Amino acid sequence: MGAALFYHLTRSGPGQLVPMLIGKSLQAGWRVELRGRDRARQVALDEALWLGEGFLPHGLAGGPHDARQPVLLTVEGQAAANAARCLIALEGAEVSGAECAALERACILFDGNDPEALERARAQWRALVAEGVAAEYWSEAGGRWERRQ
């Protein structure tokens, strides 16, 4: 069973962390599902990943080559056909304990400056831990990413 890593964003947005997490996952040999809740935001993220520094091969789910994509951008309820070993969830996208069991890692990013996002992340933490998923909390509050107890 893979662990769920919760990333509490307080100084930066997901645009800075997502490429780093994708890069580390690809280096580990894992395919990635990048799940959001809003299709328009996923389209914007798709464009940002193409225009950003470095090359991160990816595609938007729903295309003819989904199964071949190293990184597949999906929205809640949309199946990831790329056999992902890592799931990166944005915007409070749901992640289940059963999904975590089938993955190497689930990364859950949330905006610590948004009370609703913070409460949603806390609820996800409680639900996943209740299902037996090992959870880790990461914070950038000190200026760099640190695992907290």
Side-chain angles (χ1 to χ4, degrees), residues 14-97:
Q16 290 78 36
L17 182 58
V18 166
M20 182 186 75
L21 293 175
I22 290 173
K24 287 184 177 196
S25 296
L26 294 177
Q27 286 177 349
W30 304 335
R31 290 177 179 247
V32 177
E33 176 187 357
L34 183 55
R35 181 184 298 164
R37 297 178 71 197
D38 181 77
R39 177 72 176 177
R41 287 188 185 154
Q42 291 299 82
V43 169
L45 183 56
D46 171 55
E47 290 180 26
L49 288 173
W50 284 122
L51 299 174
E53 292 182 30
F55 177 68
L56 294 173
H58 69 280
L60 281 167
H65 305 290
D66 284 1
R68 296 175 52 199
Q69 297 295 339
V71 179
L72 191 61
L73 282 66
T74 65
V75 293
E76 277 183 329
Q78 190 175 33
N82 68 336
R85 302 299 302 145
C86 177
L87 167 62
I88 301 173
L90 305 170
E91 305 164 350
E94 286 297 321
V95 179
S96 72

